[in-house]
Structures are given as structure tokens and as C-alpha cells.
Amino acid sequence: MYGQILHPHSPDDCFINVNVGGFKQRMEHGVLNRFPQTRLGRLLCCSTKEAVLELCDDFTPSEMEYYFDRNPRFFCYVINFYLTGKIHLVEGLCVVSFVQEIEYWGIKERHLDYCCSNTFYELMQLAEDKSWDQRSDELQSLGSSIEELSVLKDDIEMFEGSWCADVRRNIWIRLEDPAYSTSAKVIAVASLSAVIVSIVAMCIHSMPDFNQVDHNEREIENPILNFFENLCVLFFSGEFLLRLAVAPSARKFLCSPLNIIDLISIMPFYFTLACDLLADSENTDLENVGKVVQILRLMRVFRILKLARHSSGLRSLGATLRNSSSEVGQLVLFLSVGISMFSALIYYVENESQESELQTMPIGWWWATISMTTVGYGDTFPVTPAGKLVGSVCILCGLLIVALPITNIFNTFSKFYERQKLIEAKAEPSTASTGVLSSSES
């Protein structure tokens, strides 16, 4: 009985009235039944009002009118689809909105006409790339940017209730944020200058012209360079101990990567000093102490990493390597496979030639490594025609393999660098307002 009310038998029984956003259209059942899986096609099979309202937004039984709160402009293309069996892109409509509309009406992508299919897939690929970049930026912003912006504020709040809170807070802010005040900038410049002086002294110490010998013809360090070295190490040690003393949390401070680098950069000096004292003693069990001292002195190169505290570029590089581990892993994997393959090929085509130096597999590995990475020292090279052909293919494959993941790594670095600059720009007013607030409270 309800079906007779819903679909009364009349001359108009073969038509339904569709109202889409104010645009009204009378559509024939036969046309809609050509695509029974679409929304309008399924509408004809409904026998209850509840089922009808699941497919449309409103329904008027007296006029047999189905109302849809959708884009009326797009519905013109839907009508054309029922008449021709093909759907076309709507000019000026976002491709994402287009996909949402055809999904609503139950139209499949395979019904796109050939004149619009290529354009549709190109626009979809572009939209997916932009969506991925946006999601990646949002995730990275939530994961790193917000954390970095709020870390200093959280550290300041941890001083509440601790011993000498005001004094430690003021020293901590000046040590951590160079933009806080003039004194903070002076401290940052002094720290950066000490790092540069230490690196320059280490480089000059490796030059033979600056070496000196004692009365026993043993090589000793230049006293002037040694003085600057000791002065810089004392400055680094004092800075590290001061920051550790005023840190709101010693455990959090010691777990920070930058602070670990600071500790590693100063520990070799004290180990070297201890080894020198032991070497001066007449202990026969310490005959290899000299080699240990040389190794520890080489570890002073870690001081270069202290520049990361004052360089947003180095911090961005570290974040890029940390977040691009998959791309770096792929690069290493591709190179390893290529090096293994071409080292074997060059060995088998060159081992019979007496003029070639590629007579063993390890030498082939070395040659394939410097060839695929386009370094090309020229110390080993193929001499046979087949070997030169293998070398040419190796170089071309190396260019392609290295170029594939480099683009993603570079894009990641650019995003982190821009974000780091934005963080520094936002941190200046926030720390300044924090300083004003703390001074007003005191």
C-alpha cells in the first residue's frame, strides 16, 4: 500500500522529479536504469521512505520530488552521463571535488571520456603530491617544530620551586637563547670564537712548519698552539659545567645530542693528559700509550660538531639525515648492488690483461666505488675495450642511482632549514616576553 503511495500508477509513472540545489530536472526511469548501481538508479528500487531518505536529502511524496543538496552545476554533467554513458571533467572545478561528486552519484572513474582521462590522472597525481607534502609538513611540524618552539618555555617552567630558581633561570636563558639579550649574544659569540680558534689551532698543528722538537729530538707540541688549545678546552669545560649546573634537569641535559657532542669534544683532552702522565712514568706495560694519545688527539675533530649549536644549517642537516633514513638506506643499497655487480664484471674482463691493475676483486670494488660515485681518482682504470665499455655503463648507472634519492633528501633539507629559520624568528619574541614576565614577577 505504501508502495502505491510512493510510486502511484499514472502517466508520469515512468519519470521522477529531481531537485539538485534548486535545479529541477525530470528524468525517465529507462535512462536511469541504464546504470542501476548509481545513486539515482538505486533510488528507483526503494520501496520505503526511509530507504529513499538514505539516498537523498529530502523527499516530497505528493510531487514525487527528490531533493539533493549538491552542486547544481555538476548535475548537468551527471545528466549528460546518463544520456551518453560518459562523464567529463568540469571546467574550473577542483579535481578533488570532482572525485567527491562522482563518488556521491555513484559514477566510476572508468566512465571518464578519453578526452578527459589523461588530464584527470595528471591532476590527481598533482593533488596527491601536494596532499602528501602538506601532511608531511603538518606531521613534522607537530613532531619537531612545536616541540622546539615550546622546549625553552617548558625548561623555564621547570625552574619553579628549585634552588636559586631566578638566578639559574636567567643564566640558562642567556646560555640557550642568543637572541634573548645583548649579554646572551656576547656569550654566543665567545663560544663560537672558541670553537673556531680551537679548529684553526688543530689544523695548524698538523703542518710540519709549526712542529718543534725537544733536546731528545722528540716531537713536541708548539707552546703557542698548546696554550690556545688549553685555553679553549678550559672555556669549553667551564661552559659545559655551568650549563650543567643551571640546567633545570640534569638527566635531560645529559641526554641532549648537542650536549653529548660537547662532552665528547672535551673528554679527549683529559684522557690525553692522563695518558701523557702515565707515559712519563717508567711503566713497561704502557708502551702503546703513545698510539692511544694520538687517537685521542684525533678525536678533537668532534669540536667541529659544536658549530651545530650556533648553525641552523647544521641542525637542519642532522634533522634531514634523521628523517631521511629510508632514502639514505636506499642510496646505500643501490650503490652496494651496483658496486658488487660492476666489480665482478670488471674483474672478469680485465684479469687476463697484464697492463691492467684490476687483477683482484677488492681492487674492482674500489674502482667501482669511485666510478659509481663519480669521484674518479684515476689510480685504477680499465685498459681493454670490454673493460672501458663496462666502465662507461658503470658511470652512467652511478649517475642515475645517486640522482634518484638525492632530490627527496634535498627537498627535506630545504623544508627543515626553512622551518628552523621560522622557529628562530618565532622564538625571539617568545623569549623576550618570557624575560619580561620573569622580571616583573621578581
Side-chain angles (χ1 to χ4, degrees):
M1 184 175 180
Y2 182 83
Q4 293 179 356
I5 298 175
L6 187 63
H7 299 290
H9 297 283
S10 65
D12 297 333
D13 189 41
C14 296
F15 295 89
I16 63 170
N17 298 317
V18 180
N19 186 343
V20 180
F23 175 79
K24 296 183 180 182
Q25 179 69 26
R26 193 176 186 184
M27 304 191 68
E28 186 180 358
H29 286 197
V31 175
L32 300 181
N33 284 328
R34 294 176 57 189
F35 303 97
Q37 300 301 323
T38 59
R39 182 174 290 265
L40 295 181
R42 292 159 52 198
L43 195 63
L44 299 179
C45 301
C46 296
S47 58
T48 62
K49 186 175 182 179
E50 290 76 10
V52 171
L53 292 177
E54 289 180 0
L55 297 174
C56 65
D57 297 304
D58 199 5
F59 170 63
T60 306
S62 59
E63 300 179 3
M64 290 299 298
E65 184 177 86
Y66 303 87
Y67 177 75
F68 298 88
D69 189 12
R70 304 299 295 184
N71 187 351
R73 179 188 173 195
F74 184 83
F75 187 65
C76 297
Y77 291 80
V78 175
I79 298 174
N80 184 70
F81 161 73
Y82 281 104
L83 296 176
T84 63
K86 296 294 182 180
I87 189 72
H88 294 266
L89 287 175
V90 181
E91 184 179 357
L93 182 64
C94 172
V95 66
V96 178
S97 299
F98 176 82
V99 172
Q100 293 174 350
E101 289 291 335
I102 62 175
E103 287 180 353
Y104 177 82
W105 293 108
I107 304 173
K108 304 299 180 181
E109 293 179 6
R110 66 173 182 270
H111 295 301
L112 271 169
D113 204 349
Y114 69 92
C115 62
C116 299
S117 58
N118 292 335
T119 305
F120 170 77
Y121 289 116
E122 291 177 359
L123 293 175
M124 280 297 298
Q125 184 64 38
L126 182 61
E128 289 177 0
D129 294 341
K130 290 183 178 179
S131 178
W132 171 258
D133 293 340
Q134 184 177 2
R135 289 197 302 268
S136 178
D137 291 342
E138 290 176 355
L139 291 175
Q140 291 175 354
S141 298
L142 292 175
S144 60
S145 299
I146 296 177
E147 180 181 355
E148 294 181 26
L149 285 172
S150 60
V151 64
L152 185 58
K153 183 178 179 180
D154 295 339
D155 291 341
I156 293 174
E157 293 177 353
M158 293 175 64
F159 284 105
E160 299 298 333
S162 59
W163 59 278
C164 300
D166 293 338
V167 177
R168 292 171 58 210
R169 183 193 298 113
N170 291 331
I171 298 176
W172 174 257
I173 295 176
R174 284 169 173 79
L175 291 174
E176 290 296 315
D177 185 15
Y180 177 74
S181 63
T182 304
S183 59
K185 294 180 180 178
V186 172
I187 295 174
V189 171
S191 178
L192 181 60
S193 302
V195 174
I196 295 176
V197 169
S198 176
I199 295 173
V200 172
M202 181 178 63
C203 295
I204 295 177
H205 180 73
S206 64
M207 301 172 62
D209 296 338
F210 292 90
N211 294 339
Q212 295 185 359
V213 295
D214 58 4
H215 59 280
N216 293 326
E217 299 298 326
R218 292 189 308 176
E219 185 177 334
I220 60 175
E221 294 186 354
N222 189 298
I224 299 178
L225 297 178
N226 193 28
F227 169 77
F228 282 107
E229 173 74 14
N230 297 338
L231 183 63
C232 292
V233 171
L234 290 176
F235 179 86
F236 297 148
S237 303
E239 181 188 18
F240 182 83
L241 294 176
L242 179 61
R243 296 176 66 247
L244 177 60
V246 301
S249 173
R251 180 179 179 180
K252 182 179 179 181
F253 176 85
L254 294 175
C255 293
S256 174
L258 291 178
N259 296 328
I260 293 175
I261 292 174
D262 292 344
L263 182 61
I264 294 176
S265 65
I266 61 178
M267 289 304 296
F269 173 81
Y270 296 102
F271 281 124
T272 303
L273 185 62
C275 291
D276 289 338
L277 294 176
L278 293 175
D280 293 338
S281 64
E282 297 180 357
N283 192 340
T284 58
D285 295 333
L286 298 174
E287 55 185 13
N288 294 325
V289 169
K291 296 182 179 179
V292 176
V293 171
Q294 293 179 0
I295 295 174
L296 292 174
R297 285 174 178 170
L298 289 176
M299 290 180 63
R300 292 180 297 182
V301 73
F302 284 105
R303 294 176 191 171
I304 298 177
L305 300 179
K306 286 176 64 68
L307 293 173
R309 186 176 296 279
H310 310 284
S311 173
S312 58
L314 287 177
R315 290 196 297 272
S316 301
L317 177 60
T320 300
L321 295 178
R322 186 172 61 252
N323 289 270
S324 300
S325 57
S326 61
E327 287 83 359
V328 175
Q330 291 176 6
L331 177 61
V332 174
L333 177 62
F334 296 159
L335 286 176
S336 301
V337 172
I339 290 170
S340 301
M341 181 177 65
F342 285 108
S343 62
L345 290 176
I346 201 68
Y347 168 72
Y348 284 113
V349 299
E350 291 281 322
N351 64 340
E352 296 182 357
S353 175
Q354 298 297 328
E355 299 177 358
S356 176
E357 297 181 1
L358 299 168
Q359 300 293 329
T360 61
M361 192 74 73
I363 298 178
W365 271 74
W366 169 250
W367 170 84
T369 301
I370 62 178
S371 297
M372 293 201 71
T373 56
T374 66
V375 176
Y377 290 121
D379 53 349
T380 54
F381 51 89
V383 296
T384 63
K388 293 179 181 180
L389 178 61
V390 172
S392 301
V393 177
C394 177
I395 294 172
L396 293 176
C397 292
L399 288 172
L400 295 176
I401 290 174
V402 173
L404 287 176
I406 287 298
T407 303
N408 293 333
I409 297 175
F410 175 76
N411 292 335
T412 304
F413 173 80
S414 300
K415 293 177 182 178
F416 273 105
Y417 185 74
E418 293 176 359
R419 185 176 297 111
Q420 188 66 38
K421 288 295 185 181
L422 180 62
I423 290 171
E424 293 177 355
K426 291 183 178 181
E428 292 185 7
S430 62
T431 52
S433 60
T434 304
V436 173
L437 180 59
S438 61
S439 61
S440 62
E441 291 177 352
S442 58

